[in-house]
Amino acid sequence: WGCSQGFFVVIYGSEGQGRILQRFPEKDWEDNPFPQGIELFCQPSGWQLVPKRLPPSFFVAALTDINSERHYCACFTFWEEKSLSSEADEDEDVDPGLIQSTQLFAPKSLVLVSRLDHTEAFRNCLGLIYTVHVDGLSFPLETLIGNLLTCIIPVAGGSQRTITLGAGDRQVIQTPITDSLPVSGCSVALLFRQLGIVNVLCLFCATLTEHKILFLSSSYNRLTDACRALLAIMFPLKYSFTYVPILPGKLLEVLSTPTPFIIGVNSTFRSETQELLDVIIADLDGGTVTIPECVHISLLPEPLLQQTQLALSMVLDPELDVADHAFPPSSLQPSSLKIQDKEIRAVFLWLFAQLLQGYRWCLHIIRINPEPVIRFHKAAFLGQRSLTEDDFLMKVLDGMAFAGFVSERGPPYRTTDLFDELVASGVERICLEEANLHKVTSHIKELGEQLYKNENPYPAVAMQPPAEGSHLRVPLKTFPHLDEVTVQLFIDHAAAKLKDSPPAVKVEVKHMVPSGPPLGTYRLVFRGTLANSARRLEVVRNCITYIFENKMLEAKKLLPAVLRALKGRTARLCLTQELHLHVQQNRAVLDDQQFDYIVRMMNCTLQDCSVIDEHGIAAGLLPLVTAFCRKLGAGVTQFAYSCVQDHMVWANMQFWEAMFYSDVQNHIRALYMDVGDSDSRSALEIASEQRRLWSTLSKDKQQELVQKEESTVFSQAIHYANRMSYLLLPLDTSKNRLLRSSGLGDVESVSNSYVTNSIAGSMAESYDTESGFEDSENSDVASSVVRFITRFVDKVCNESGVTNDHLKALHTMIPDIVQMHIETLDAVHRESKRLPPIQKPKLLRPSLLPGEELMMEGMRVHLIPDGREEATGLMGGPPLLPAEGAVFLTTYRLIFKGTPNDPLVGEQVVTRSFPIASLTKEKKISVNIPMDQFVQEGLQLRSCTFQLLKIAFDEEVASDLAEVFRKHLHKLRYPQHVHGTFAFTVGQSGKMVVDLNGILPSRRTLSKSLVKSAKKTIGRQYMTRKKYQAPTWETRGSVQPPLDEDEISVSEEMEQTSLTLSSTIKSSDRQTMSGVVERACCRDYQRLGLGTLSNSLTRSKNEPFRISTVNRMYTVCRSYPGLLIVPQSIQDPTLQRISRCYRQCRFPVVCWRSSRTKAVLLRSAGLHAKGVVGFFKSPNTPSAGPSQTDSTSLEQEKYLQAIVSSMPSYSDASGRNTLSGFTSAHMSGSGKWGSIRNSNRLSTFNPDMGNRLASKESPQANGGPADTHFLRQQRAYLYIIGDKSQLKVSRPDSFQQWEVVPIEVFDVRQVKTSFRKLMKACVPSSTSTDPNMTFYRCLEESEWMCLLHKVLQVSVLVVELLDLGSSVMVSLEDGWDITTQVVSLVQLLSDPYYRTFDGFRLLVEKEWLSFGHRFSHRGAQTLAGQSSGFTPVFLQFLDCVHQVIHLQFPMEFEFSQYYLKFLAYHYVSNRFRTFLLDSDYERIELGVMYEEKGERKNPQVYKSVWDYIERLNKKTPIFFNYMYAPEDGEVLKPYSYISNLKVWSFYTEETLSEGPSYDWELVQGKPEPAEEGEKADSSAPRSQRKVVWPCYDNHMKVVPDAITKLLQELQSLEAQLGLVSDKWKDTWDKIKTTQRTETKGFADKLADSAFCVSTQRRSQGLYLQEAAVGSSINLGLDGQSGVVTSPAGAVAGRPSTSTLYSQFQSTESENRSFEGILFKKGALLKPWRPRWFVLDKTKHQLRYYDNRQDKECKGVIDLAEVESVSPGTPAMGAPKNMEEKSFFDLKTTRRVYNFCAQDAQHAQLWMDSVQSCLSDA
């Protein structure tokens, strides 16, 4: 019981603010000072006058004092009339509109301040005082106030108290039974009614996770109720931050406080709250909760959130459950508001019981006497509940409210309440009823009843209210001034009475707090854990048993499985338990191998533990690491702790605190255990018992117990100082290894300067132990450890009440402990170095290319798995990674070579390498190795050959060595000059620093001579000094300087005749020019009939084109070749002028001509911005620009007209602008579409072609152009494909012969970005579980396929136009990227020659190398290009070729897919000089263009990739496409839709057995293991099978295709027989020749596209021993080749007739028994053809040739297979006018051949001859 000790205050509002008129008592109470600023809270919106009397108002505001005590201010406000006359001049807060009014009313407040919260009683009392005043009743107000301030109200206990103020009134105050349960009235139910379930739950979670919450309402009562409700549902947690249910307007700046709060504000101030960025605003009147974007609220863990919402909806809306019933029960109304309020609170009580279930089992009691000191073990609680990942619970447990909860509810001996009972005994019921909603509801109703009973123990007694409408009466007078003396007398009298008879204090009943079921008894809602199978635990146990029984071989076998099992929690716990058993049996001293295995298992266990050690595994291992040891030498023992230090958990302060408290608790418990006592009682139970007995003990006994406890804690502190030094001091204290565990940093539980970045200070700077800094480093490691331990000791000793003396002793002791331990470790470190090292795998040296040299010896590293899962064993197959080995840096490559860590595949060799020149990104990473040790630093190296090396340096590699490695790598990747690349330095003993001075003079020779001769010929012309600058992307739109010479730019045109070849070039350079003539371009121009150089000089006029030498000195355009094809009629000076209109001076030149339609393909750069408009204006429109622009555009027009005039279709049309001269054959166009069926559409186009090409969709099924008609009826003679952004297209008038097709092209920046994303998709750096990061999603986001689609689409468009007889000019960007891609693809698709080896080489040399694709710049090959990055334009072209070849036209190309991959690899590898530099000009300048082939000093070092391919192609068919069977003059039109494109296997495949297969010498060096096996023993039966691993084996070698296999077998057989084997190509050609026989039916269909198996033994042209199957392969591979079979009964090993006779050459007359012309019906769907047939009796075959002179046999029919010869009948399509008897049929075992002779007589002759051959046989 206690006096209310309140205040009664009268406040009056005047002058815009409140003024306290009187307060009672005038002096403060002893322990309850008067709260300041109370007047602000009585009128929170400000004190204002109003024109009309308002009804009295009442609300309660809550104030919190400095001691966190709450004071409740009940404000009763009424309005009194105020006369304006006397105070009109005063500066009052009056609305100017009110001045006319005669009456104004001012507020007056009666305020009762109390520590007790009895809202209704306050309302009644203040209402009574007001009623007495208004009604003028005869009771003195002083009496009422005196009684009010002196009435005694119980705090709690459930009693009723009747009070009276002495005005004939009587009211009953009910106190709650338990003080700890909050009183809520109806506030919680109202809050849910206002905001709804989801919103309130959101606010509830926000409050618990310490966010700022602001309530808005126009009612002050509602604000108070809402805040009270929020606190009520938080029970049993208490809110400990700012709590202001009603905040006055004048204090709104409080809302900007950085700390959490719950505040209520009147909604008139809504606008002021809008700019609060981190405050959650709940609008009670509008029912909304607004959460700012920057605020993230952690919600309850599922499924608890769902269950809570369901339970709440059952309380608030019970009808919901039966709303869908056909016969709903009639009476299902929600409970009354008061009951509903308690039921909602019951739901939250039920929720907290589940959330905090078992919390008492995680309390550590570290002192019992004199006061209990208790700490909560958060990690254990979260770990046991499997909620370590749960954000909500983590935040709640770290919050202030929970800290208060532990200190209040932790003590084991205290009074208990409903929550304690629920946690102790209700959890079991909650778990059992969890699934049954009705049981849950009834449980909640029971809890609700208990809460209701607590608040309302007795039926309520009504208070008599003031008379109705009394507030409306006009008071007779203002509220009177009260007599202070009278009131004070009342107060004094009551105080004296209290002293005389102290009221009986209700004794608190204390007892032991029950702990409830242990954690984990009921796995509540969170079932996320995955149990380890018993089998795994068995493996762990067995392995440990084997180790301790010294069965090391058995243990070794199990170890990998154990290390895998230890990823699971139960297996780790099992390990700690098992090891504890072995320590107890005194078997802690181990030999070296046992020690090594135990340490590995411990490391693996700790590796997967989190820092907070939630499962107590690190805690379990802590005693073990100081127990297991091995003897190193005399008196030197190494303990396990020195080998398991590299784990973050040891540097976590919270871990050490929890460990310390746990151990202290055990020791304190032991202190109070009786000797004979059983161990069943927990520490809390013992503590509870001790607290009960404490008051009965004598002072001395109490003192003794306190001392004992304090010494126990002190001794533990010393023990832990030792333990911590064991685990924090590294074995080699001279190294900075301490830093590896990220220092002893990131500690949550310690404040301020505890973490500094320089944990080990300067030690990080020095790596070298011999640098003379050893002492300072030692002391540095030591001092950081000392600091860490000291902080720990300070914290735990202060918390557990250790005396200051003891603390000082500890401070002096710690440095000694650390120093002593360092000395011990030095000896251990010394001895451990003498130990034979643990067998690490031997470093395997890689094989190197000729001329390739090692730059650095191999460094031991671990190859870590990246995002590709094939090698890790996750997708099945062996875990090849992680692997241990070495990384080697050579002048050419970066190579990793090693063996897998997994012993089951340990004998395999893993190789991963890439050329240094292809490195695109290098970054440092830190890596955790799960096996043996923690590896500090690593590198991730990404290559544009789609390789990724993720390596972690072994601990034996010093970090400075790793740094040296990085620097070397960087120097090699970006040499100063192209001379520093491997292609130039090969074989020159790898000079790292390239001497630029040595290079530059040779660079300059040509350009100097060019300049000299230019000066001679120019004479007195204007010279301007300019420095050449490579064009950048920024300047591409602006006008480029017309010439780019080294030091000089020529501003006038040179006279054509003055510069002849001989005059300009010194004799030494003449051979260079003759080289120009031999260049690829010239050879191709001659082939295409575009002219020869001699032709061009003699100017024969009948040719439409000529070879111009205008650019022979590279003065017109640096990036063009020296010789160019231009129209015959255009003079060289004109060309120079035209060139200036184009970017980079790349003016239009012819690069290809169709042999059929004579249409030409031209290429150029895009126009300069200034030239565009003038160029496309009609000739008759007057030009706005200067006359020079006019003349240039006229010249351009003339140039285009000359091209148009060169076309036969134009000259046929004899000047008319129609295509009438075109024959229908020309119109139809021929071509093969990329599908089985022919495309039957018209090849005409629609007007918005450019727009469509730019967009992603296209109406045609293959992504080609659509069927609607083009701009006008006639097709233009010349189409210009231009960049949409550069061309302002005007509709050309009908007289122009050309037309512009504007298309949107992509920028090279897009290519660069797309490629980067493609690499990440194909070779991800780590595995991702994010569904948005799957391979196909990443591939799609890279947009690589879209770019391919666009290039192919434009190319197909151009091919169609050319095929229809129109010329096309491709004029895009700078003319060296996309233009090159398009023109190359167009030529490849249009001209079959380019699909051969020679043709493709010529195409690349002409279009890519000569026409100046910037290989060095795009490949970032030197330091200068480093910033621009890698842009794979050429790779994109190769990918397009791959899409065409292998997916759509597999028979049209002579080269295989491997050939393209080979080029894709080596164009970035810098092994060859072919793809270096940016233009022919640069190549000539550096002297690399015409290197003599005989010049090679080292026969193995090839400078040109083409020479290398040629040599390799002679040796092996690897580049050859066996399906090559071209059709003459075929134009290919591939489908370009994205759905038709496939990801190139070059991007995704890898061969870990030998590295990339593109450096052939390295791959082929090793003999095939299969062959060795064959030689070993041919008699024993042996399996032919071999396991092929997808990412390990080289598929081409392990599983070769049938033909390659046979050719290999053939070579090996010939070698066995001692014969000189033919080259594979000769063999192949021979086989093709002998196999051109006719076939029918299915085999015939296959002939064009596949290989047919047959049982024909003579197909090889040699004799093979029969394999077990009795068959071999017959290779039919020609357009008309057939397949023939020999009788199955042939004897194995018998040479066939053809083999015998092919060994000697016969004359032509020989072997020709009978010959002549026969018509033969071709295979299925082919016509009859006349052929020259020869019947050969000797070889027993019928051969046929194209004609009599033909030497090459076109096909053979083996007579051994002929069954019969008979007269035939004319078949469909047979030759006309032949008599019926001239037909005869030849039937073989495979098909029937139909023949037709000249007449019946000849037919009979043939039949007889064949028949006689058959009968002879």
Side-chain angles (χ1 to χ4, degrees), residues 852-1156:
E852 179 183 12
E853 294 162 36
L854 276 178
M855 291 301 298
M856 281 184 80
E857 276 303 317
M859 290 189 288
R860 188 178 291 280
V861 294
H862 294 262
L863 183 61
I864 309 297
D866 45 52
R868 296 170 286 183
E869 294 181 332
E870 295 93 337
T872 55
L874 292 175
M875 300 170 72
L880 297 162
L881 300 182
E884 185 178 354
V887 67
F888 297 87
L889 186 64
T890 75
T891 45
Y892 169 49
R893 289 176 301 156
L894 186 66
I895 311 160
F896 169 85
K897 194 163 184 182
T899 51
N901 287 0
D902 192 317
L904 296 176
V905 273
E907 65 278 6
Q908 306 299 330
V909 175
V910 169
T911 309
R912 204 175 250 182
S913 72
F914 59 78
I916 291 170
S918 69
L919 178 72
T920 56
K921 190 172 181 192
E922 168 251 7
K923 73 170 181 183
K924 283 184 173 181
I925 50 173
S926 57
V927 188
N928 294 355
I929 297 265
M931 288 290 281
D932 306 339
Q933 69 275 28
F934 175 90
V935 176
Q936 177 200 7
E937 52 197 36
L939 285 178
Q940 181 174 302
L941 304 159
R942 192 180 277 286
S943 147
C944 58
T945 59
F946 291 84
Q947 190 49 276
L948 184 72
L949 272 177
K950 228 174 150 179
I951 53 174
F953 293 107
D954 193 87
E955 53 193 359
E956 73 185 37
V957 177
S959 31
D960 52 347
L961 200 62
E963 202 52 42
V964 170
F965 170 77
R966 284 184 66 226
K967 283 179 183 159
H968 269 315
L969 181 63
H970 196 267
K971 271 188 190 167
L972 284 168
R973 170 62 184 96
Y974 297 109
Q976 293 284 334
H977 184 263
V978 74
H979 269 280
T981 55
F982 177 69
F984 285 95
T985 59
V986 57
Q988 297 176 12
S989 66
K991 297 168 193 155
M992 267 304 288
V993 184
V994 180
D995 180 14
L996 268 177
N997 300 333
I999 295 165
L1000 294 177
S1002 66
R1003 286 187 65 193
R1004 296 283 175 195
T1005 48
L1006 180 62
S1007 53
K1008 272 185 187 162
S1009 65
L1010 283 171
V1011 172
K1012 272 181 202 158
S1013 54
K1015 281 181 182 168
K1016 277 180 209 160
T1017 50
I1018 291 163
R1020 291 184 313 173
Q1021 286 173 347
Y1022 301 102
M1023 299 284 187
T1024 51
R1025 293 262 154 197
K1026 278 218 169 98
K1027 194 161 185 205
Y1028 170 57
Q1029 178 189 8
T1032 58
W1033 275 100
E1034 286 70 27
T1035 59
R1036 59 182 259 214
S1038 62
V1039 183
Q1040 289 292 335
L1043 297 165
D1044 288 337
E1045 267 208 88
D1046 265 88
E1047 289 292 336
I1048 192 167
S1049 91
V1050 183
S1051 51
E1052 303 262 335
E1053 301 89 37
M1054 295 181 230
E1055 234 178 280
Q1056 170 63 29
T1057 52
S1058 67
L1059 277 172
T1060 59
L1061 287 179
S1062 53
S1063 70
T1064 16
I1065 299 182
K1066 300 200 300 263
S1067 59
S1068 61
D1069 291 328
R1070 287 215 178 109
Q1071 64 182 41
T1072 308
M1073 268 330 278
S1074 66
V1076 172
V1077 183
E1078 291 169 12
R1079 277 302 274 169
C1081 302
C1082 278
R1083 296 206 308 278
D1084 205 34
Y1085 297 152
Q1086 280 173 309
R1087 183 184 71 82
L1088 293 165
L1090 288 170
T1092 61
L1093 198 59
S1094 57
N1095 185 11
S1096 143
L1097 293 172
T1098 56
R1099 287 285 166 92
S1100 69
K1101 291 291 178 194
N1102 56 354
E1103 280 290 326
F1105 296 105
R1106 68 187 179 88
I1107 294 185
S1108 163
T1109 57
V1110 68
N1111 197 40
R1112 65 190 177 286
M1113 301 312 299
Y1114 301 97
T1115 50
V1116 178
C1117 177
R1118 276 268 168 101
S1119 55
Y1120 263 8
L1123 304 174
L1124 300 164
I1125 301 288
V1126 294
Q1128 181 75 264
S1129 57
I1130 303 294
Q1131 301 306 308
D1132 284 358
T1134 313
L1135 294 175
Q1136 287 186 317
R1137 280 196 297 278
I1138 290 173
S1139 71
R1140 292 172 198 172
C1141 298
Y1142 290 87
R1143 286 194 256 165
Q1144 314 297 344
C1145 300
R1146 293 172 69 94
F1147 61 94
V1149 292
V1150 176
C1151 54
W1152 182 77
R1153 179 163 66 170
S1154 164
S1155 56
R1156 187 173 63 79

Side-chain angles (χ1 to χ4, degrees), residues 312-336:
L312 285 169
S313 66
M314 289 304 294
V315 169
L316 289 162
D317 187 6
E319 289 182 350
L320 180 68
D321 199 31
V322 294
D324 291 348
H325 287 198
F327 305 106
S330 49
S331 57
L332 253 187
Q333 291 306 312
S335 323
S336 67

Side-chain angles (χ1 to χ4, degrees), residues 1218-1266:
T1218 63
L1219 294 183
S1220 56
F1222 239 176
T1223 60
S1224 57
H1226 277 146
M1227 284 297 287
S1228 65
S1230 70
K1232 177 149 72 170
W1233 286 93
S1235 76
I1236 307 302
R1237 56 185 175 72
N1238 246 343
S1239 176
N1240 57 353
R1241 64 210 170 132
L1242 289 162
S1243 294
T1244 46
F1245 310 106
N1246 82 355
D1248 61 341
M1249 182 191 313
N1251 300 333
R1252 191 172 43 64
L1253 281 171
S1255 70
K1256 302 218 174 173
E1257 77 281 88
S1258 154
Q1260 195 60 33
N1262 66 334

Side-chain angles (χ1 to χ4, degrees), residues 1397 1446 1453-1463 1508-1523 1549 1554 1556-1561 1563-1564 1568 1594-1601 1603-1605 1607-1608 1611 1624-1625 1628:
F1397 283 117
H1446 295 100
F1453 292 81
E1454 188 180 7
F1455 42 85
S1456 64
Q1457 199 181 147
Y1458 184 80
Y1459 177 78
L1460 293 176
K1461 291 180 185 176
F1462 189 87
L1463 285 177
Y1508 186 77
I1509 287 174
E1510 202 176 311
R1511 178 179 68 105
L1512 203 51
N1513 198 25
K1514 286 175 184 164
K1515 285 188 181 178
T1516 164
I1518 187 77
F1519 296 131
F1520 185 70
N1521 174 18
Y1522 295 117
M1523 295 159 78
E1549 66 189 5
E1554 55 196 23
S1557 64
Y1558 308 107
D1559 289 311
W1560 198 251
E1561 300 89 333
V1563 180
Q1564 293 310 100
E1568 282 283 328
N1594 182 342
H1595 290 226
M1596 290 186 301
K1597 277 168 68 175
V1598 182
V1599 195
D1601 59 75
I1603 297 175
T1604 309
K1605 182 94 171 75
L1607 287 169
Q1608 283 172 359
Q1611 280 187 337
W1624 71 269
K1625 189 76 172 78
W1628 176 248

Side-chain angles (χ1 to χ4, degrees), residues 306-369:
Q306 200 62 40
Q307 292 173 358
T308 309
Q309 283 180 341
L310 198 60
L312 285 169
S313 66
M314 289 304 294
V315 169
L316 289 162
D317 187 6
E319 289 182 350
L320 180 68
D321 199 31
V322 294
D324 291 348
H325 287 198
F327 305 106
S330 49
S331 57
L332 253 187
Q333 291 306 312
S335 323
S336 67
L337 213 53
K338 272 193 170 184
I339 302 282
Q340 200 180 56
D341 181 90
K342 304 302 170 280
E343 286 175 354
I344 293 170
R345 279 180 52 197
V347 172
F348 284 94
L349 203 55
W350 171 85
L351 166 67
F352 272 112
Q354 293 186 75
L355 270 179
L356 301 178
Q357 177 250 327
Y359 80 96
R360 297 197 70 76
W361 293 91
C362 296
L363 295 174
H364 285 157
I365 185 145
I366 46 177
R367 288 296 293 272
I368 297 176
N369 298 320

Side-chain angles (χ1 to χ4, degrees), residues 97 156 177 222 230 303 306 372 514 660 682 733 852-853 871 973 1050 1112 1374 1440 1450 1544 1592-1593 1602 1662 1687 1763:
I177 296 173
R222 292 272 174 95
L230 204 47
Q306 200 62 40
F660 175 78
S682 72
T733 46
E852 179 183 12
E853 294 162 36
R973 170 62 184 96
V1050 183
R1112 65 190 177 286
D1374 284 348
C1440 289
W1544 194 8
Y1592 185 75
D1593 291 302
L1662 70 143
E1763 291 177 353

